[in-house]
Amino acid sequence: MPHRFDFLVLGGGVAGLSFALQAARHGTVAVLTKRERTESNTAYAQGGIASVLAPTDSFDAHIEDTLVAGAGLCHRDAVEVTVREGPERVQGLVTLGAEFNRQTSGEFDLTREGGHSARRIIHSGDITGREVQRALLAECDATPNITFFANTAAIDLILDRRQPRPGTSRCVGAYALQENGSIERFLAKVTVLATGGAGKVYLYTSNPDVATGDGVAMAYRAGAQVANMEFYQFHPTCLYHPEAKSFLISEALRGEGGKLKLKGGQTFMERYHPLGALAPRDVVARAIDAEMKRTGDECVYLDMTHMGRAFLTERFPNIYATCKAFNIDMAVQPIPVVPAAHYQCGGVVTDLHGRTSVPGLYAIGEVSCTGLHGANRLASNSLLEGLVFGQRAVKVAQEEMASLSTPGEDPPAWDAGSAVESDESVVVSHNWDEIRRLMWNYVGIVRTDKRLMRARRRLELLREEIRDYYWRFKVTRDVIELRNIADVALLIVDCASRRKESRGLHFTLDYPHPDDHHWLRDTTLSREL
């Protein structure tokens, strides 16, 4: 028998948990997490939440900073909604028990990050995401109507194709692989994608292993519109060390005065932008990439030695301890850093309440494309977006849920066909590595038409191999993730190939300048069903 709920939430980060808490007031909620409940992109967010909380700041200033960073592609209505509703959502976290750094006066200790004109980043040391998730999970555990299914990986969305008109198939849930190997139907009146981003599409990323683009891939296969996948944000500073895996060096270090330097100790960011090391992320990432290519060095360095050990251990305890574990004492030596894939600015197209183009399907958080981020996300607007849209989506989702009649005939159970246990899993690991490497080399910080064409040819071949493997052998979590990163990789290439200009996070040597006349618009794709 299928699992049946009013609301089905795929993903347990800030967006999914925010939605679940509010939706539980209106019906039963299932939250599926691919690994343990605490493993999400949210848990790795260091810097903080951008919001207008100081009397010297203003909504207009935060809106303008977001629009500038987005390089002309932000949707102003999405920006205004997010910025203006932000303070109330932050206060909601405080009410739930989330603890943020405060000054001796009791006021929030606000910091500043790249692209911001004011100190407006509320933070919990340098583990803000972990604290936000802790508070939300604790409240979920105390809330009736919410059921968690950990180690449960969604495979595909389930569509009810018995609709009166073509193209109106309703999403009624998802097939999901459980830890015991069974594939179950999770049915719901409203399905919410809160699956995060796709950093694992790239060889080097700040994202955890769960970030394989599952939501975007599933939504695209179900016919939902997807947009702006060419705008993948590369965080300028990840720890460069052979034993360090995906450890982010927060932008907050530069906000507090950290200096980017070359191996010889020279600063360089002043040659690229008036804001120097506090320039928007796309500028800083390209500058570091250019300097590494120019010098042949494997990394650049972030120097915090002038800040003093006492300040560093108090303000950045997690980063300080992690660097120390790799024999890097940031109080006396610069931190070696490189850019890495960090944040997906495009995604599943939604309106201002999270509704996608597929009836019954919503998308919130990093998986969505609301128009907030445009061509480049402003630092620390990501947790803010999850909080705001997690709440906004409930308002219309509960109305939609209440309006639906009792579902009719159940969709069919998962059909494994003649699939057998795999005896060649090496295919999965090899293709996984090849996709991530070719995306890094051909579809990374700097692109060309030729590189994109090479990437497309190879990806199309790889997808054929993966499709054959998927149908011949029993589904595993590794196969699910491989299939999804291959689909998302091709979406990134498709969007990047269409945009014949450079804007924000999409920089191509063939079209090095922005073209407002032709390209001041979203790049939208959808699959014909």
Side-chain angles (χ1 to χ4, degrees):
M1 293 293 292
H3 303 272
R4 201 182 296 279
F5 294 86
D6 293 316
F7 302 95
L8 172 63
V9 181
L10 306 181
V14 60
L17 296 179
S18 296
F19 180 93
L21 275 175
Q22 299 302 317
R25 300 176 179 180
H26 307 285
T28 56
V29 184
V31 180
L32 274 56
T33 63
K34 194 162 57 169
R35 288 176 174 73
E36 294 303 320
R37 296 195 317 168
T38 54
E39 186 67 4
S40 68
N41 268 1
T42 294
Y44 293 82
Q46 295 176 350
I49 306 170
S51 193
V52 178
L53 301 169
T56 54
D57 199 4
S58 70
F59 289 147
D60 286 344
H62 190 180
I63 289 167
E64 184 61 22
D65 290 345
T66 302
L67 294 173
V68 169
L73 286 192
C74 294
H75 297 191
R76 191 178 186 98
D77 55 355
V79 176
E80 292 199 358
V81 157
T82 307
V83 169
R84 295 184 187 280
E85 295 182 11
E88 187 177 351
R89 298 288 79 80
V90 170
Q91 187 55 52
L93 282 177
V94 174
T95 303
L96 292 182
E99 297 183 1
F100 299 102
N101 286 42
R102 295 180 183 266
Q103 300 173 354
T104 54
S105 64
E107 298 297 319
F108 290 125
D109 177 28
L110 302 175
T111 189
R112 183 183 172 196
E113 295 182 358
H116 288 274
S117 59
R119 297 179 76 89
R120 65 169 67 100
I121 315 299
I122 186 175
H123 61 93
S124 180
D126 55 355
I127 53 168
T128 305
R130 198 182 307 172
E131 174 61 14
V132 169
Q133 188 175 58
R134 180 203 64 77
L136 290 171
L137 277 172
E139 188 66 16
C140 283
D141 287 339
T143 301
N145 278 349
I146 300 177
T147 306
F148 281 89
F149 294 84
N151 297 299
T152 301
I155 303 171
D156 265 320
L157 300 172
I158 302 174
L159 299 179
D160 181 358
R161 303 192 186 273
R162 299 168 300 161
Q163 301 296 326
R165 299 188 312 278
T168 60
S169 295
R170 181 177 183 82
C171 180
V172 295
Y175 293 108
L177 174 68
Q178 298 201 283
E179 194 170 16
N180 62 5
S182 67
I183 297 175
E184 306 285 345
R185 287 165 293 174
F186 286 82
L187 304 182
K189 296 175 181 176
V190 169
T191 300
V192 181
L193 298 173
T195 51
K200 297 300 283 189
V201 168
Y202 286 97
L203 184 62
Y204 301 111
T205 176
S206 65
N207 291 182
D209 289 343
V210 292
T212 51
D214 306 323
V216 170
M218 288 189 294
Y220 181 76
R221 290 195 294 265
Q225 286 189 334
V226 171
N228 292 355
M229 293 297 290
E230 70 269 39
F231 299 119
Y232 217 99
Q233 186 175 78
F234 289 79
H235 198 288
T237 54
C238 279
L239 180 62
Y240 178 73
H241 189 281
E243 296 174 16
K245 181 183 178 183
S246 306
F247 186 70
L248 182 68
I249 303 297
S250 171
E251 186 157 337
L253 273 74
R254 284 177 282 132
E256 295 291 358
K259 300 176 181 178
L260 284 168
K261 295 182 176 180
L262 301 175
K263 184 166 62 176
Q266 310 96 319
T267 60
F268 59 90
M269 277 307 305
E270 62 274 9
R271 292 190 274 110
Y272 290 90
H273 197 279
L275 289 175
L278 282 176
R281 287 178 177 173
D282 60 321
V283 177
V284 181
R286 278 200 304 275
I288 293 174
D289 182 70
E291 290 298 320
M292 288 168 56
K293 285 182 168 63
R294 182 181 67 82
T295 62
D297 294 337
E298 295 180 318
C299 64
V300 298
Y301 296 85
L302 181 59
D303 190 355
M304 302 292 292
T305 57
H306 56 291
M307 307 299 290
R309 189 183 307 276
F311 173 80
L312 294 174
T313 54
E314 180 182 355
R315 175 66 179 86
F316 304 110
N318 181 51
I319 295 174
Y320 184 91
T322 302
C323 288
K324 199 76 188 315
F326 293 109
N327 296 315
I328 300 166
D329 185 345
M330 59 190 281
V332 296
Q333 64 192 110
I335 307 167
V337 294
V338 293
H342 182 60
Y343 194 88
Q344 172 184 289
C345 290
V348 185
V349 176
T350 75
D351 65 10
L352 294 181
H353 290 93
R355 287 177 290 205
T356 74
S357 58
V358 173
L361 181 65
Y362 290 66
I364 51 177
E366 188 175 354
V367 69
S368 68
C369 183
T370 63
L372 170 63
H373 304 306
N376 179 33
R377 175 174 69 87
L378 182 65
S380 288
N381 269 357
S382 51
L383 292 178
L384 178 70
E385 180 184 35
L387 290 169
V388 169
F389 281 88
Q391 179 106 355
R392 289 183 67 83
V394 173
K395 295 177 183 177
V396 295
Q398 63 92 10
E399 294 173 0
E400 183 172 354
M401 183 274 295
S403 70
L404 294 175
S405 58
T406 304
E409 183 181 347
D410 285 344
W414 180 262
D415 182 7
S418 58
V420 298
E421 296 287 348
S422 172
D423 59 356
E424 47 184 65
S425 295
V426 67
V427 172
V428 176
S429 58
H430 176 84
N431 287 355
W432 176 278
D433 290 341
E434 185 169 352
I435 290 170
R436 298 181 68 210
R437 192 170 296 279
L438 76 84
M439 286 297 289
W440 182 262
N441 290 332
Y442 296 150
V443 201
I445 296 171
V446 177
R447 302 157 179 174
T448 66
D449 283 349
K450 194 172 185 180
R451 292 174 191 171
L452 292 172
M453 211 159 51
R454 286 174 176 164
R456 180 192 298 279
R457 281 200 300 265
R458 188 60 194 135
L459 281 170
E460 287 173 346
L461 289 172
L462 286 167
R463 284 177 82 223
E464 285 300 319
E465 289 180 20
I466 294 164
R467 189 177 292 115
D468 176 66
Y469 188 99
Y470 176 78
W471 290 111
R472 287 174 55 203
F473 300 113
K474 289 185 177 179
V475 174
T476 65
R477 190 175 67 190
D478 288 345
V479 172
I480 294 169
E481 293 180 334
L482 174 64
R483 180 183 181 223
N484 289 338
I485 70 163
D487 285 350
V488 171
L490 199 54
L491 287 173
I492 295 172
V493 170
D494 278 349
C495 287
S497 299
R498 293 179 184 216
R499 184 166 291 276
K500 305 298 185 183
E501 64 159 359
S502 289
R503 183 181 299 275
L505 300 164
H506 172 68
F507 185 83
T508 169
L509 295 175
D510 292 309
Y511 310 94
H513 305 292
D515 178 359
D516 288 354
H517 182 66
H518 294 98
W519 288 104
L520 206 58
R521 55 184 171 85
D522 295 332
T523 311
T524 305
L525 305 174
S526 59
R527 175 173 174 251
E528 294 295 328
L529 296 180

